[in-house]
């Protein structure tokens, strides 16, 4: 992601220039010129002081690696009324009045620990088509306090968290923005090997069956940590035993290895959806959470559309 940073003269250079101007005015106009020069000097000093304070508050926008975050949640942002022109630019000045028609965008979350109004603030920027970012609002205060520590850890590694955003409004209505953003506890996806290909909307949990035969794969993936948030792949298969033998369903893979499959009813529900997603993006990927269920072993729950 490329973010623009403007180069300006240093405060010291500005003050030297004003001091020289004040000296010239004093020589040319005597006491009156001295007073004018002194006034100019004071005004420029205050301006450079205020600019320096602002530069401490607003982090420099630099080249950063985008880190994909969990989409398993919905978060509304605040403060959009101050950034209507920016949001309209990303929305291409179109309007959307219903959730089904919401305008898609990509958000990045920028922690502002030096914000003079709130040291736990998290700024929400939207990406333009050229990859630069423009501010659209902030996370609500109580939510920002939960998300900021993790986002600061990412920033220390040169990463910025990203998630899908949806824009509503336009026309006679103010634009509003909500994020597809997971809970802070499971925000980071532990399996990044599948790259940046989009995942299916993470709206509800769907049970995987047959994990008992693939515990060795699950143990290798979680590596002693649970719960773990991962990306799974769905592929077409046929049921090999039971009353629905031979019927279509979906098998579930982690790191290319089988960990189970969907039940016959869930296969009926999601087979066509997975096929459409595969046609659009190349692979049917979804988020999943692996938990330790004690005597039942490691269990996987997929996060799929409603």
């Amino acid at each position: 992601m490329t973010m623009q940073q403007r180069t300006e003269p240093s405060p010291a250079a500005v003050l030297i220039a004003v001091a020289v101007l004040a000296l010239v005015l004093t020589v040319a106009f005597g006491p009156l010129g001295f007073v004018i020069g002194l006034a100019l000097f004071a005004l420029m000093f205050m301006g450079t002081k205020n600019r320096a304070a602002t530069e401490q508050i607003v982090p420099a926008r630099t080249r950063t690696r985008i880190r994909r975050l969990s989409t398993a949640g919905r978060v509304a942002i605040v403060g959009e009324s101050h950034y209507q022109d920016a949001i309209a630019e990303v929305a291409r000045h179109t309007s959307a009045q219903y959730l089904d028609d919401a305008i898609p965008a990509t958000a990045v979350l920028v922690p502002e620990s030096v914000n003079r109004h709130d040291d736990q603030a998290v700024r929400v920027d939207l990406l333009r088509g050229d990859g630069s970012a423009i501010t659209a609002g902030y996370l609500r205060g109580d939510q920002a306090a939960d998300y900021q520590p993790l986002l600061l850890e990412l920033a220390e590694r040169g990463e910025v968290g990203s998630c899908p955003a949806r824009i509503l409004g336009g026309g006679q209505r103010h634009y509003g923005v909500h994020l597809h953003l997971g809970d802070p506890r499971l925000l980071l996806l532990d399996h990044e090997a599948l790259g940046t290909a989009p995942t299916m909307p993470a709206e509800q949990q769907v049970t995987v069956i047959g994990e008992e035969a693939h515990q060795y794969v699950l143990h290798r993936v979680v590596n002693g940590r649970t719960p773990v948030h991962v990306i799974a792949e769905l592929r077409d298969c046929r049921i090999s035993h039971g009353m629905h033998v031979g019927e279509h369903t979906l098998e579930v893979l982690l790191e290319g290895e089988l960990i189970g499959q969907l039940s016959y009813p869930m296969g009926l529900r999601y087979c066509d959806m997975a096929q459409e997603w595969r046609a659009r993006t190349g692979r049917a990927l979804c988020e999943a959470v692996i938990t330790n269920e004690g005597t039942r072993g490691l269990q996987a729950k997929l996060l799929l559309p409603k």
Side-chain angles (χ1 to χ4, degrees), residues 7-299:
T7 302
E8 297 184 354
S10 68
V14 173
L15 292 177
I16 291 171
V18 175
V20 171
L21 177 61
L23 180 60
V24 171
L25 289 172
T26 301
V27 172
F29 299 104
L32 178 60
F34 177 77
V35 172
I36 295 173
L38 187 63
L40 285 172
F41 186 88
L43 287 172
M44 293 303 296
F45 178 78
M46 292 301 296
T48 55
K49 184 177 179 181
N50 290 339
R51 183 159 59 247
T54 301
E55 287 169 354
Q56 290 178 349
I57 292 167
V58 181
R61 299 185 176 194
T62 57
R63 187 176 296 276
T64 307
R65 176 181 178 267
I66 292 179
R67 175 66 178 267
R68 180 166 139 185
L69 302 176
S70 167
T71 65
R74 301 295 177 267
V75 175
I77 74 172
V78 297
E80 302 105 307
S81 60
H82 300 292
Y83 305 100
Q84 289 294 296
D85 290 343
I87 300 172
E89 178 186 341
V90 175
R92 300 179 183 273
H93 298 277
T94 57
S95 61
Q97 308 306 322
Y98 304 101
L99 282 175
D100 290 344
D101 303 320
I103 302 161
T106 299
V108 291
L109 306 181
V110 183
E112 290 188 346
S113 57
V114 293
N115 187 305
R116 64 179 176 181
H117 301 296
D118 180 4
D119 61 6
Q120 294 181 319
V122 173
R123 191 178 77 235
V124 179
D125 292 352
L126 298 179
L127 295 186
R128 298 184 178 102
D130 63 1
S132 62
I134 189 167
T135 299
Y138 283 80
L139 293 188
R140 200 177 66 222
D142 58 333
Q143 292 176 325
D146 293 332
Y147 284 100
Q148 197 200 68
L150 178 57
L151 296 172
L152 286 172
E153 289 180 17
L154 293 180
E156 290 177 359
R157 302 202 296 262
E159 298 178 325
V160 61
S162 173
C163 66
R166 295 294 181 267
I167 301 171
L168 281 171
Q172 301 301 313
R173 293 177 54 193
H174 270 56
Y175 283 109
V177 178
H178 71 269
L179 309 178
H180 291 237
L181 184 65
D183 184 271
R185 187 174 63 99
L186 291 172
L187 193 60
L188 283 185
L189 296 167
D190 292 88
H191 177 46
E192 290 288 306
L194 293 172
T196 58
T199 53
M200 300 171 73
E203 297 174 339
Q204 67 176 2
Q205 288 192 354
V206 174
T207 299
V208 176
I209 62 173
E211 302 108 309
E212 63 276 3
H214 307 282
Q215 290 291 299
Y216 67 98
V217 177
L218 291 166
H219 276 286
R220 189 182 70 243
V221 171
V222 304
N223 195 25
R225 298 173 297 118
T226 54
V228 169
H229 203 161
V230 295
I231 298 176
E233 183 173 5
L234 302 179
R235 291 200 311 211
D236 295 330
C237 71
R238 291 185 181 274
I239 298 173
S240 60
H241 58 276
M243 64 183 297
H244 298 293
V245 63
E247 298 287 353
H248 285 281
T249 190
L250 292 167
E251 61 183 10
V252 183
L253 296 92
L254 289 181
E255 300 182 357
E257 295 195 61
L258 185 67
I259 64 161
Q261 62 185 28
L262 297 189
S263 66
Y264 174 66
M266 289 295 101
L268 281 179
R269 181 172 182 175
Y270 287 108
C271 272
D272 289 345
M273 194 179 300
Q275 186 174 6
E276 291 173 6
W277 196 263
R278 194 179 301 113
R280 287 170 48 198
T281 68
R283 305 175 82 172
L285 303 179
C286 66
E287 296 179 34
V289 177
I290 302 173
T291 57
N292 190 335
E293 301 297 328
T295 57
R296 296 177 57 206
L298 296 176
Q299 302 288 308

